[in-house]
Amino acid sequence: MNNDGVGGDGAAMAPPRHLDGKLFYGWWLLAAVFVGEMLAIGSTSYAFGLFVVPLETEFGLSRAAANGGLILFFIGMGVSAPIIGRLLDRYPAQHIMLAGSVTMGLGLIGIGLAQSLLLMSLCVLLLVGAGAVAIGPLTANTVVARWFTRHRGKAMGIAAVATSLGGSVIVPFMAFNLERYGWRMALIIQGVLTVVIVGALAVLVVRSRPQDLGLLPDGDREAPAGAQDVASGPRWTMPQVLKTRDFWCIGLSVGLTFAINQSVLASIIPYATATGIGLKQATLLVSCMAIGSIIGKLAFGAIADRSDKRWLLLIAIACTILQLAVLIAQPSFPVLLVICALAGLAIGGELPVWAALVAERFGPNSFGSVLGMMNPINMALSLVAIGFIGRSFDRTGSYTLALEMFIGVALLAAVLVLLISRRGTHSARPDGG
């Protein structure tokens, strides 16, 4: 078997399993990577807040210093994503996920056992960040892009929901362990579970491509007329990717919009309380955004299979601009609830559309590399935007200036979307054609 995961002629001719009355194996694989995403993001980004106060108490840290752990995690993810994305295009995904489960699990266990902040920081930066990438959204989307073509957007939308459920399922579980066993043991338990659960799914369920099992994408009996064989499609080199207009237009438009949304999400509670809204009501705004995000991931993902994905990105940007304009106007609480739900649709819907667009423009064989190279753009822009909105408030006592500037940034993102090549034109190809 070669690196493309294609077996001999006998395997290639085996009938798709769904023809025997069984569910297409791609959906079982989607369930496996779904669990990996839940653990990757739920155990880190969502659960981080559980450990801020314990760290402050044990080490005498300031709130800013304690929050530095999350920044280290994002940096670790951003630096490792291009490397892991490249590995996903060259080696079996199950090997990458298995290594990622061990890496992230050891990182969590290491933090729980470490007695120095330096060792904890190294575990977060080098192990947890890289491990979360290897078992998280990048790997999930890469594998889904290979197993699905006609249903790719729908499958990516379902996969994206995993990050939201990670916050509602994993965080309460870790909180229970923290209260019962202490914060160190809670991390050790989570590390062990990550190795066991994700490692087992990687070995038993995950396969890089449908050709590994003698299947075709979507469980088709035969490849649709004119469809490109994903096992022999072109591969892009890094210089070729960096020279294409689509890479920069997709990466920057999504990155700028994502950065705005993350900044607003981080600031919506203090924004609301500053306008006289109570804390309990303010938290409802975040809940509305979360619910809207789940709906957006499923809806936009399904629509992406039948629509021009550029227009879906423009809709997401339009929702973002509308939210910014309403926030500047400081409306009543009911209006804020509605606008936050709408913004949640944009936040969630952007993710599967982004992944589906990358798969469409660059192909499944280079998907991991290209999406991995875009991740640092997202991380860097988000860190800049979150820092900017905080500094702007400190200087002016209001979020208005930052929100007004974000509208300009969102308009720039919309222009970049319009510069993305239309489907079928493919102005940027590996061969330069």
Side-chain angles (χ1 to χ4, degrees):
M1 184 175 290
N2 60 25
N3 286 340
D4 290 334
V6 182
D9 293 338
M13 295 300 293
R17 295 191 177 189
H18 81 294
L19 297 179
D20 297 328
K22 297 181 180 180
L23 183 68
F24 173 49
Y25 192 83
W27 297 110
W28 293 111
L29 181 137
L30 175 59
V33 297
F34 189 99
V35 173
E37 280 194 89
M38 283 182 60
L39 285 166
I41 305 303
S43 305
T44 53
S45 298
Y46 281 100
F48 178 80
L50 295 174
F51 301 93
V52 171
V53 173
L55 285 171
E56 289 177 347
T57 302
E58 182 164 333
F59 293 96
L61 300 177
S62 66
R63 182 61 53 90
N67 287 344
L70 186 59
I71 295 176
L72 284 175
F73 172 70
F74 285 143
I75 292 174
M77 290 187 71
V79 171
S80 61
I83 299 171
I84 293 173
R86 196 70 174 171
L87 292 175
L88 283 167
D89 289 336
R90 295 181 177 273
Y91 300 99
Q94 56 266 42
H95 295 176
I96 305 300
M97 278 195 73
L98 177 59
S101 68
V102 174
T103 301
M104 180 174 169
L106 290 178
L108 293 173
I109 294 171
I111 297 170
L113 296 175
Q115 299 300 316
S116 72
L117 288 173
L118 176 59
L119 186 54
M120 287 182 179
S121 299
L122 291 175
C123 287
V124 172
L125 180 66
L126 302 179
L127 297 179
V128 179
V133 172
I135 71 172
L138 176 59
T139 295
N141 283 321
T142 299
V143 175
V144 167
R146 297 167 182 166
W147 277 84
F148 296 91
T149 301
R150 289 182 290 104
H151 301 295
R152 182 179 289 155
K154 181 193 302 180
M156 286 180 168
I158 294 172
V161 172
T163 59
S164 300
L165 288 183
S168 59
V169 175
I170 303 300
V171 174
F173 174 75
M174 294 183 69
F176 171 80
N177 287 331
L178 187 151
E179 292 178 352
R180 186 166 185 175
Y181 304 111
W183 70 273
R184 289 183 179 275
M185 185 54 66
L187 286 170
I188 293 172
I189 292 172
Q190 200 65 20
V192 172
L193 289 177
T194 299
V195 174
V196 173
I197 295 174
V198 181
L201 290 172
V203 172
L204 299 176
V205 181
V206 175
R207 296 296 180 267
S208 289
R209 294 173 171 82
Q211 288 80 7
D212 293 356
L213 300 179
L215 304 176
L216 292 173
D218 300 300
D220 289 335
R221 183 190 297 269
E222 59 184 21
Q228 185 184 53
D229 180 5
V230 298
S232 60
R235 292 187 185 275
W236 294 69
T237 65
M238 184 177 294
Q240 289 169 341
V241 171
L242 294 177
K243 289 179 182 178
T244 64
R245 184 182 70 190
D246 278 356
F247 172 81
W248 293 106
C249 288
I250 295 172
L252 288 173
S253 61
V254 170
L256 290 171
T257 310
F258 184 79
I260 294 171
N261 289 327
Q262 289 301 303
S263 300
V264 172
L265 181 60
S267 306
I268 192 66
I269 290 180
Y271 164 91
T273 54
T275 59
I277 295 173
L279 182 59
K280 288 186 178 180
Q281 286 183 308
T283 57
L284 285 178
L285 298 176
V286 177
S287 297
C288 279
M289 293 178 75
I291 294 171
S293 176
I294 293 175
I295 296 173
K297 289 171 180 177
L298 295 173
F300 276 61
I303 296 172
D305 290 326
R306 303 183 296 274
S307 305
D308 188 331
K309 299 167 185 60
R310 299 175 306 156
W311 292 111
L312 292 177
L313 283 182
L314 287 175
I315 292 173
I317 293 172
C319 291
T320 299
I321 293 174
L322 178 60
Q323 183 197 32
L324 294 171
V326 172
L327 290 176
I328 291 172
Q330 298 185 4
S332 63
F333 179 71
V335 174
L336 273 179
L337 279 177
V338 173
I339 202 63
C340 283
L342 186 62
L345 290 173
I347 294 173
E350 181 184 35
L351 298 177
V353 174
W354 170 35
L357 188 58
V358 170
E360 182 181 87
R361 294 301 189 271
F362 295 93
N365 278 336
S366 297
F367 180 88
S369 299
V370 176
L371 199 69
M373 292 165 65
M374 288 182 181
N375 267 277
I377 298 175
N378 262 8
M379 296 296 179
L381 291 173
S382 293
L383 291 175
V384 171
I386 291 172
F388 169 74
I389 196 170
R391 289 191 298 270
S392 176
F393 180 83
D394 290 339
R395 292 180 180 179
T396 65
S398 168
Y399 289 107
T400 300
L401 176 61
L403 295 173
E404 290 173 344
M405 295 192 68
F406 282 162
I407 289 178
V409 173
L411 291 173
L412 173 60
V415 172
L416 291 169
V417 170
L418 294 175
L419 294 176
I420 299 171
S421 64
R422 289 179 297 172
R423 181 179 182 180
T425 60
H426 293 279
S427 58
R429 294 182 181 273
D431 58 8

